Amino acid sequence: AGKKVLVDPKGDDYSKYAGATVLTPNRAEFRQVAGSWKDETQLVEKAQALRQELNLEALLVTRSEEGMSLFGADGVVRQPAVAREVFDVSGAGDTVIATLAVMLAHGVDWAQAIHVANVAAGVVVGKLGTAVATRDEINAVLAERD
């Protein structure tokens, strides 16, 4: 139907997500499906192979303290983690995919979308319990970084 489909994948069989726009596994979820890697080059090879096999526009692997990496047809976009004190990682992945969806719906490019999603996740991990990142909080962090 020409709609973007964003998936936070579960389990070890990603074939059911073939044709989605983007999958957003965390590092451990991706390792469960693709196997371990020895270095960044091997990670890129495994990620791009899975992206192509599943006919995805992109694969976004969230990597905790290493930030996130977006694997697309044009290569890899890396987004370093936002340095913050971490209180609780609950909901960080949900925040990433929700923010990514909003940004893509507004026509923002992938690099900017993952930048803002990363900032939003940084906001929520700096709070106790499952929390939200407000527009004002995200904008404040973005203003600090510019």
Side-chain angles (χ1 to χ4, degrees), residues 88-96 124 130-131:
D88 193 336
V89 297
S90 300
D94 294 332
T95 299
V96 167
V124 301
T130 303

Side-chain angles (χ1 to χ4, degrees), residues 5-23 32-33 50 53-56:
V5 176
L6 293 77
V7 178
D8 183 7
K10 300 297 175 222
D12 60 3
D13 179 13
Y14 284 11
S15 65
K16 58 189 163 196
Y17 307 123
T21 305
V22 62
L23 301 185
Q32 182 181 6
V33 170
L50 181 64
E53 176 187 332
L54 297 178
N55 192 30
L56 306 171

Side-chain angles (χ1 to χ4, degrees), residues 1-6 20-22 57 101 104-105 107-108 110:
K3 306 293 183 198
K4 294 199 180 292
V5 176
L6 293 77
T21 305
V22 62
E57 187 173 324
L104 293 174
V108 174
W110 283 106

Side-chain angles (χ1 to χ4, degrees), residues 7-137:
V7 178
D8 183 7
K10 300 297 175 222
D12 60 3
D13 179 13
Y14 284 11
S15 65
K16 58 189 163 196
Y17 307 123
T21 305
V22 62
L23 301 185
T24 63
N26 64 34
R27 181 174 45 203
E29 291 166 336
F30 180 69
R31 186 178 291 117
Q32 182 181 6
V33 170
S36 60
W37 53 90
K38 294 178 184 174
D39 55 27
E40 195 70 15
T41 300
Q42 211 173 46
L43 168 63
V44 171
E45 290 169 358
K46 287 177 177 280
Q48 290 291 28
L50 181 64
R51 183 189 63 76
Q52 291 173 357
E53 176 187 332
L54 297 178
N55 192 30
L56 306 171
E57 187 173 324
L59 175 68
L60 177 65
V61 179
T62 58
R63 303 173 64 187
S64 301
E65 72 282 351
E66 295 175 338
M68 54 180 69
S69 300
L70 179 79
F71 303 92
D74 295 332
V76 183
V77 177
R78 292 176 180 84
Q79 184 65 51
V82 177
R84 301 184 73 87
E85 189 170 2
V86 176
F87 290 102
D88 193 336
V89 297
S90 300
D94 294 332
T95 299
V96 167
I97 196 168
T99 305
L100 188 63
V102 169
M103 298 303 292
L104 293 174
H106 278 87
V108 174
D109 67 29
W110 283 106
Q112 183 65 21
I114 67 166
H115 174 66
V116 175
N118 192 42
V119 166
V123 169
V124 301
V125 301
K127 299 178 180 184
L128 287 173
T130 303
V132 299
T134 67
R135 179 184 293 197
D136 289 342
E137 290 170 324

